[in-house]
Every structure is written in structure tokens, then in C-alpha cells.
Amino acid sequence: MIMLIPAWFSAEAQSYEKGVSKELAEWRANRITNIHYDLTFNVPLDTKAVLDGTAFITFYMNEKTEVVLDFQGTIPEFCLVNGKKRRVVLKNEHIVIPAKQTKQGLNSISIDFKSTDKALNRNAEYLYTLFVPDQARSCFPCFDQPDMRATFNTQLNLPKEWNAIISESNYPIPTYLYSFVAGRFKEKKGQREGYTIRALYREQDPQKVEQIETIFDQVGESIRWMESYTGLKYPFNEFGLIILPGFQFSGMEHPGAILLTDRRLFLGSHPSQDEQLSRMELIAHETAHQWFGNMVSLKWFEDVWAKEVFANFFASKITRRHFTKIDHDLNFLMTYQARAMALDRTEGTHPIAQNLQNLNHASLLYDDIIYDKAPVMMRFLEEIMGPKQLQAGLKKYLVNNYFKNASWDDLIETLDKQVPSAGIRQFSDIWVKQKGMPIIHTTYQDGKLIVSQKDPYGRGIFWRQKFDIRLIYDLDRSRTVTIDMQQPTVTVNIGNRPSSIIPNYDGRGYGHFTMDDYYTQRLALRLIVTRGDLHRFALLLTLYDNYLMGRIPASYFGELYRNMTKEKNPLIMKTALSHMFRIAFDRPQNERQTLEQCIMDLLPENKTAECRQAIIRQMAPNATSPDVLNQIYKIWSSHSDPLFNEHDYMEMAYRLAIMRPTQWSEIISQERRQLKTDQLREEFDYISRGCTPDKQEQHKLFNAILKAENRPHEPWALALLRLLCADVREPDNNAYITSSLNSLQRIQESSDIFFATNWLNALYGHHKSQEALQDTEAFLKKHPDYKSSLRNKILVASWLLKNTRERISQEKGQKQNKK
């Protein structure tokens, strides 16, 4: 028999690359099964002391071959292999047990270890582990890949008065879903849908702690919905929640030990509609993961998006059931579609499905394409299959892969068999495996409405989708035409020429919706007379996209203003305000200040509390107008408006301190005195340093947070960076661009999965100078072979800066042509 030897194989174990290559992962998964970890961790009170422990690992092998474990920490010279003392070597993050020490059948390894701090989020009074996507190996020796499921038994030796939650131990899960949390936490339990829900938290505000009952209710509601939809009971024994201050994600779905950020769960006394929706969506998202992601897991992390698409898709449906009075089609556009388009319109976009050769690059896969474009795709998929057929297909997928691992292609095979006539494979090949979005152009010609798609990348593909177009003839006559794009061009006989056309009237379409200039210039005028919240919101998105494309002038700000004086829907108001501020930000400083005052003038015009709240939240961190700052100062100094929570007032203080440098110390001291908990004071003390007017101190702070050890809570570090990169500090803070880009790979490697993206967003969010763009372009030109995934993130984050400069140049050219 001839045995093929993998290219990376070496008897001396010299050639295993760092991380977990796809080749190594496949080789191991084909040979090793029935893994069990018996883990002991000794958790010191001193956060600088090393966390150590012992791992006793058992597993079955279908042949006698070497064993490769993954580990980034340190180990002693010897371990026990099948009960015998053996010398071991740790090299390139791998512990290799030679074949002569293993056997076919049951094997065991017992090894002491010292963990790194990379995935141990350590604080003085608590710690939590976060191993996604490939960080379990930083804490203990393991087979750190998603398709090598294992059961776990865990012993935590903790400081006195610490309590803990450990992830599910009775069902096999991947290493990235294993977690433990320990510390000085308060605890609350509840019963919902026959399940015990346990919550650990550190919140001290009684009004917020009372909200845990609401959180339990929403967990129960989410479980009930998922059980009904899938026909399968909640797949685990326990439902544990840990609500963490300064948590770097929104949530992480560890079965039995779900980590959640306190900022999205504990709301102020007057939460906005958006905040209430956001909390429910987060709880529903993490609950849906228990079926899609935990019970059935991905085979390889290039399919990470597939577990996220189901979590968001079902979160949208569960939230729809809970909030019956909200327009959920509108909320879907705001929550998913607008965010997806914001990335998909940039040069840094990519397909939903991405290739991954080594797990140490898995963190680069995460962005708004996988979280937000994927649900848009799923909505179209449900439409072409039919809701009942999609549900039936997903049930089969879960049953066939119960506590196993599956790929997106496995699911597509199941769905294609469910509805062979739907063309599921072809749909997936375009929507999932191709990047970008189409340009969908509408024109009128000789009694016909012609709607055509164009692929901006010239690949000759088109995106199957369905949407409405509104035709307006006069004040009393209009009609809606449904466009079903099963081919690149659709022609509809409509007769007389409409006076106005609103493309994508229902918002279901996905792409750049353009029209001939005659209709484009009349589009903004339709905003004030468009009835129906969904239609008005969809029109907002179309107008803004055309503004960014340079097809609609900045003067459409006036139409936005007129509409917002009467707007009652806070979701529409929030989005419109962000568009209005973007227009203001793009203008010269004197015009910007005038437009900022126009936004603030909406306060007396619009009487709804939530809309007023949205206006202040938009302007408080961004204002430059002295008159606007005076208005914000009055609100902040009184500290008595119940519409605003502690973080709202903190944001006001940060901006006021930056804009009034001679008063900065007084403002920061006054705000600190208002804070009621040690937790808030600790956060404020860390972030507010960025308000200093001392330029040398600003540079020191920036250089400090380039290092991981100076980022105790990643969200705090990002908030500090945003202050250092404030718009009014240009051009001095342009120096941070090149420094950040030079350090980006190190930042990405030393942080959690979203941090590099969020760092770039904080870095570029308020830059608009030509120098900032030139520095970025110079870096990219100097590094033509820069890692493509990080290069794309730079292109995405800097896109609005580039877009602003292009439109400024376009406007100057138009003025010169008029002369």
C-alpha cells in the first residue's frame, strides 16, 4: 500500500507552521475522535501572576500515528503519554507526540502547562476567557479546530469569595466554544420555559439590576421561538449569562456561559426604541446560536459567516414577534442592509464566503459583510424558496448534523434537494461567493420602464432579486410596479411618462439604485410627501447613496431638514440625522457650523422625546458650532434630563473638554463628580485622558495604546483613540495614520477579532484632509504585497475620507466650469 505523506509532515516535527493549517486540520480530523479534556486551572488573585494548570486529554485514534497538539504557552520537559513519562518538545506552537508513543484506539496525555494571557481577560476582581476563533491554544494544550469536538470537565481553583460559570460539559463542543468566567460577581437565577437561567453581573445600579427579569423573559421568548421553528428542544442543559462591563464584543455564544456586554443589556431610565430593539436582537442572536453554531458547528472557520447569518436572520424574526408595533421591515433595512451597503460600496469589499488557509488568520474574516450582508442574502433565499420550504430544509439540516459539523455547501445541498426548481446553487454562487453589489439603473423610454443591472466589476453576473418601483404622475395618480429581476434587464410597459420615479420603493432591493438625471434631481422632493415609514426610510437610503456617488448635491440637506421637522419615527430620525451630519461634515467649516445649528433647530420643531434624544446623541460628540456647544453645555451642566444616561453625559463632557481647552480640566472634574459607581469612574478616568489639550501628552497616549498591555478594555481604548483622532485636532493627529498602519498587523495579532477593524474606524472616522488621504495612499503604494484582508480593512475604513475628497474636488471642478 502506498501512503501519501502530507507536504508539511516531518518525522522530526520540524515543519509544522504556526497556527492550524487547513491541511493539518483535515489530517487530524480524519484520525482522531472521541476527545475529552479534564482540565484544572489555578487562578491567582494577582493579575500579573501566571495562570497554570494540568490537562488530561483522552481520545481515540483510528491508526497509530503521531499526535499534534496546539499550544502557545509553556510546558515542562516531560509529560505522561499513555501513562508513561515522555520527553516533549513545544515548537511553532505545537506539541508533537511521536507515533512510537501512541497506539490505535484509546490514548491519553497528561501535561502541566502555563497559560499566556492572550485570551485571559484579567481584571483585579474577575476574569473571563474568550477563545474564538483560535485562542484556546493560548490557554491550554488542545486540538484547536472547530471540527474536533470534545467534552470538558473543569476544576477551577479560585481566590476566596469568587464564583464561576463554566460552559456546557455534557455535550461535545469545539474548543472555541469552551469558556470559563470567575470573579466577584453578583448572581441571579430564574425559570423560563422549563429551563434554569443563571446570570452573573457586576452592575451596582438597582434600576439596571431590575432589568435582569426582562432579560430572562426575552431569553425564554427566544428559546420558545427557536424550539417551535426548528422542532428541536434547547440542546443544552444550562443557560448561563455573564453580563460584563467593558466587554469587547456584543456577545459570545458559549453554551451555558454566554458573554454579553452590559452596554446593550442594561439600559437607561428612558431607553430609545433603537436601544430596546438592540437588546432583544442581541439576546435572540445568542440564543439562536445554540442551534446554529453550537449544536451544529462549522467545519472550518471560512464558514464562520454561516453561523452568524442564521443568528441574525432568526434574531430579526424573534424580535419581530416581540415588538409587534414596530415596522420590522424598516428595522431590517436599518440594522442590516444599510450597514452592509456601507462596506459593500467600498474598494475593500469581499464575498460573504472567504477562503482561509490557517486559523491564525481567522480573526480577519469578521466584518459587516458576514454579519449584515448575509441576512440580506438569506431574506432573498427565503423568498425564492418560500418560508415553509426553507424551514423544512433547515430542520433536515439540523437533524442530519445533530452535534456535528457542517459547511455552507452541505446546507446548500440540503436546500437544493428541498426545492430543486429554485436554483439554490446558482443563487449561492452569486450572492455568497461573489463580491460587491449591482448598479441598478431605471429609465423611461417610449412608454416603457427599463430596469437594468450592471456588475461594477465587469464579470457579467447579475443578482436575482425582487423590489418595487413607485411611479408618480400627479398629486392624485401613482402606482407601484414590482420588478422581478430574473435576468439582467427587465422592461415593463407603463404608458405615459411619470413625473417622478422612486426606485426600490419598498427597500427590498440591494444595490446602487440610479436613474436618469431628470428623475434623480427630483428624487429628494419626494421625501416630504412619501407616506409610509418603510417607503420613507428606503428613500432616505437611496438619496444618501446617490449623494455619496456625487449624483445628488449637498443641498438636499434642506429636504432632509424639512422632513425631519415633522418626523415621528425615531428610527428614521436617527438615520436621517447621520446623513445630515455627514453632509455638514463634508462642507467648509463656516457652512458646517451653520448646518449643525440647523440640526439643533430641530429640537423645538420636533416634539417627540426619542427624536430629541437622537438629535443630542448625534451632535454631542461631533459639534463644532459655538452656539450648538453652548446648547449642549446647558444640557450637560444641569445633568438632570432623564432622556440621557451616564454615557450620554460622559460623551458631552469629552466633546466640551476638547472644544474648550482652557476649561478641559474643570469640565472633566465636574463630570467625574457626577458618576455614581466605581466602574463608571474607572472607565471615565481611562478615556477622559484623551481630552488633554497637551499635544505631547496626546502623542504619549496614542503610542501607549499601540501596545496591548495598555488596553485593559478594548472598547475603552477605542473610545480614547476616537478622542485623540477628533476632527478639530487635524492636521496634528494625521501622524497617527501612518503609525497605526505600520502597527496594524501587530495590533491585529495582539487583540480580539473585531479590534483591528474598530481601530481603523476610530482612526479614520473624523479625518477629511487631503494629507490624511495622501498618507494612506502612500502607505498602500509602499506595501503592494500587504496582507489582503488587512488591506481591505484599510480601504473600507478610509473610504469615506476618499469619497469626501473626491466630492470636494468634483465641486471645485463644477465651479470652475461655470466660470
mmCIF file of all heavy atoms in Angstrom, residues 153-169:
data_model
loop_
_atom_site.group_PDB
_atom_site.id
_atom_site.type_symbol
_atom_site.label_atom_id
_atom_site.label_comp_id
_atom_site.label_asym_id
_atom_site.label_seq_id
_atom_site.Cartn_x
_atom_site.Cartn_y
_atom_site.Cartn_z
ATOM 1 N N ASN A 153 -14.332 18.517 31.333
ATOM 2 C CA ASN A 153 -14.539 18.546 32.784
ATOM 3 C C ASN A 153 -13.533 19.533 33.343
ATOM 4 O O ASN A 153 -12.336 19.445 33.041
ATOM 5 C CB ASN A 153 -14.334 17.155 33.395
ATOM 6 C CG ASN A 153 -14.604 17.162 34.887
ATOM 7 O OD1 ASN A 153 -15.686 17.530 35.330
ATOM 8 N ND2 ASN A 153 -13.602 16.795 35.670
ATOM 9 N N THR A 154 -13.991 20.480 34.135
ATOM 10 C CA THR A 154 -13.137 21.594 34.545
ATOM 11 C C THR A 154 -13.124 21.757 36.053
ATOM 12 O O THR A 154 -14.175 21.786 36.698
ATOM 13 C CB THR A 154 -13.615 22.918 33.911
ATOM 14 O OG1 THR A 154 -13.720 22.745 32.494
ATOM 15 C CG2 THR A 154 -12.645 24.051 34.206
ATOM 16 N N GLN A 155 -11.922 21.892 36.596
ATOM 17 C CA GLN A 155 -11.734 22.214 38.013
ATOM 18 C C GLN A 155 -11.053 23.582 38.089
ATOM 19 O O GLN A 155 -9.940 23.758 37.574
ATOM 20 C CB GLN A 155 -10.860 21.158 38.695
ATOM 21 C CG GLN A 155 -10.431 21.502 40.113
ATOM 22 C CD GLN A 155 -11.591 21.544 41.089
ATOM 23 O OE1 GLN A 155 -12.438 20.649 41.066
ATOM 24 N NE2 GLN A 155 -11.641 22.562 41.938
ATOM 25 N N LEU A 156 -11.724 24.544 38.719
ATOM 26 C CA LEU A 156 -11.148 25.881 38.909
ATOM 27 C C LEU A 156 -10.757 26.059 40.363
ATOM 28 O O LEU A 156 -11.611 25.966 41.260
ATOM 29 C CB LEU A 156 -12.152 26.959 38.511
ATOM 30 C CG LEU A 156 -12.612 27.000 37.049
ATOM 31 C CD1 LEU A 156 -13.645 28.115 36.857
ATOM 32 C CD2 LEU A 156 -11.442 27.197 36.108
ATOM 33 N N ASN A 157 -9.494 26.312 40.610
ATOM 34 C CA ASN A 157 -9.022 26.656 41.951
ATOM 35 C C ASN A 157 -8.938 28.177 42.034
ATOM 36 O O ASN A 157 -8.045 28.795 41.448
ATOM 37 C CB ASN A 157 -7.657 26.007 42.214
ATOM 38 C CG ASN A 157 -7.744 24.488 42.186
ATOM 39 O OD1 ASN A 157 -8.707 23.911 42.694
ATOM 40 N ND2 ASN A 157 -6.748 23.832 41.601
ATOM 41 N N LEU A 158 -9.898 28.765 42.761
ATOM 42 C CA LEU A 158 -10.134 30.208 42.694
ATOM 43 C C LEU A 158 -9.765 30.912 43.997
ATOM 44 O O LEU A 158 -9.747 30.297 45.065
ATOM 45 C CB LEU A 158 -11.619 30.470 42.399
ATOM 46 C CG LEU A 158 -12.180 29.883 41.106
ATOM 47 C CD1 LEU A 158 -13.694 30.083 41.055
ATOM 48 C CD2 LEU A 158 -11.522 30.531 39.888
ATOM 49 N N PRO A 159 -9.528 32.228 43.909
ATOM 50 C CA PRO A 159 -9.408 33.025 45.135
ATOM 51 C C PRO A 159 -10.697 32.955 45.950
ATOM 52 O O PRO A 159 -11.779 32.674 45.410
ATOM 53 C CB PRO A 159 -9.169 34.443 44.600
ATOM 54 C CG PRO A 159 -8.612 34.258 43.224
ATOM 55 C CD PRO A 159 -9.276 33.022 42.698
ATOM 56 N N LYS A 160 -10.575 33.237 47.227
ATOM 57 C CA LYS A 160 -11.742 33.205 48.106
ATOM 58 C C LYS A 160 -12.797 34.206 47.642
ATOM 59 O O LYS A 160 -12.486 35.273 47.136
ATOM 60 C CB LYS A 160 -11.333 33.525 49.544
ATOM 61 C CG LYS A 160 -10.501 32.435 50.203
ATOM 62 C CD LYS A 160 -10.172 32.807 51.640
ATOM 63 C CE LYS A 160 -9.338 31.710 52.312
ATOM 64 N NZ LYS A 160 -9.000 32.061 53.712
ATOM 65 N N GLU A 161 -14.044 33.828 47.824
ATOM 66 C CA GLU A 161 -15.215 34.652 47.530
ATOM 67 C C GLU A 161 -15.434 34.877 46.034
ATOM 68 O O GLU A 161 -16.224 35.731 45.646
ATOM 69 C CB GLU A 161 -15.136 35.994 48.265
ATOM 70 C CG GLU A 161 -15.103 35.841 49.784
ATOM 71 C CD GLU A 161 -15.053 37.178 50.494
ATOM 72 O OE1 GLU A 161 -15.087 38.229 49.812
ATOM 73 O OE2 GLU A 161 -14.964 37.171 51.731
ATOM 74 N N TRP A 162 -14.738 34.113 45.206
ATOM 75 C CA TRP A 162 -15.005 34.173 43.775
ATOM 76 C C TRP A 162 -16.005 33.081 43.413
ATOM 77 O O TRP A 162 -15.964 31.973 43.957
ATOM 78 C CB TRP A 162 -13.726 33.960 42.971
ATOM 79 C CG TRP A 162 -12.863 35.191 42.848
ATOM 80 C CD1 TRP A 162 -12.733 36.194 43.753
ATOM 81 C CD2 TRP A 162 -12.004 35.518 41.760
ATOM 82 N NE1 TRP A 162 -11.843 37.140 43.305
ATOM 83 C CE2 TRP A 162 -11.377 36.751 42.070
ATOM 84 C CE3 TRP A 162 -11.693 34.913 40.555
ATOM 85 C CZ2 TRP A 162 -10.467 37.372 41.217
ATOM 86 C CZ3 TRP A 162 -10.785 35.519 39.699
ATOM 87 C CH2 TRP A 162 -10.180 36.746 40.028
ATOM 88 N N ASN A 163 -16.927 33.402 42.513
ATOM 89 C CA ASN A 163 -17.809 32.373 41.959
ATOM 90 C C ASN A 163 -17.541 32.249 40.465
ATOM 91 O O ASN A 163 -16.765 33.014 39.885
ATOM 92 C CB ASN A 163 -19.277 32.671 42.256
ATOM 93 C CG ASN A 163 -19.691 34.065 41.845
ATOM 94 O OD1 ASN A 163 -18.871 34.879 41.416
ATOM 95 N ND2 ASN A 163 -20.960 34.379 41.974
ATOM 96 N N ALA A 164 -18.158 31.273 39.814
ATOM 97 C CA ALA A 164 -17.772 30.975 38.432
ATOM 98 C C ALA A 164 -18.930 30.372 37.640
ATOM 99 O O ALA A 164 -19.879 29.827 38.210
ATOM 100 C CB ALA A 164 -16.586 30.012 38.416
ATOM 101 N N ILE A 165 -18.830 30.498 36.333
ATOM 102 C CA ILE A 165 -19.656 29.763 35.377
ATOM 103 C C ILE A 165 -18.711 29.129 34.360
ATOM 104 O O ILE A 165 -17.771 29.778 33.880
ATOM 105 C CB ILE A 165 -20.662 30.681 34.654
ATOM 106 C CG1 ILE A 165 -21.855 30.983 35.562
ATOM 107 C CG2 ILE A 165 -21.172 30.023 33.368
ATOM 108 C CD1 ILE A 165 -22.960 31.801 34.891
ATOM 109 N N ILE A 166 -18.976 27.866 34.055
ATOM 110 C CA ILE A 166 -18.192 27.133 33.061
ATOM 111 C C ILE A 166 -19.135 26.688 31.958
ATOM 112 O O ILE A 166 -20.286 26.330 32.211
ATOM 113 C CB ILE A 166 -17.499 25.913 33.703
ATOM 114 C CG1 ILE A 166 -16.606 26.360 34.867
ATOM 115 C CG2 ILE A 166 -16.666 25.152 32.660
ATOM 116 C CD1 ILE A 166 -16.115 25.236 35.746
ATOM 117 N N SER A 167 -18.668 26.700 30.738
ATOM 118 C CA SER A 167 -19.513 26.321 29.611
ATOM 119 C C SER A 167 -19.941 24.863 29.698
ATOM 120 O O SER A 167 -19.424 24.084 30.507
ATOM 121 C CB SER A 167 -18.793 26.590 28.284
ATOM 122 O OG SER A 167 -17.557 25.919 28.247
ATOM 123 N N GLU A 168 -20.892 24.493 28.861
ATOM 124 C CA GLU A 168 -21.506 23.165 28.864
ATOM 125 C C GLU A 168 -20.467 22.046 28.897
ATOM 126 O O GLU A 168 -19.495 22.068 28.149
ATOM 127 C CB GLU A 168 -22.370 23.015 27.608
ATOM 128 C CG GLU A 168 -23.032 21.677 27.450
ATOM 129 C CD GLU A 168 -24.052 21.379 28.530
ATOM 130 O OE1 GLU A 168 -24.941 22.232 28.745
ATOM 131 O OE2 GLU A 168 -23.953 20.315 29.153
ATOM 132 N N SER A 169 -20.674 21.072 29.783
ATOM 133 C CA SER A 169 -19.695 19.993 29.947
ATOM 134 C C SER A 169 -20.200 18.640 29.465
ATOM 135 O O SER A 169 -19.403 17.705 29.312
ATOM 136 C CB SER A 169 -19.289 19.877 31.425
ATOM 137 O OG SER A 169 -20.428 19.601 32.231
#
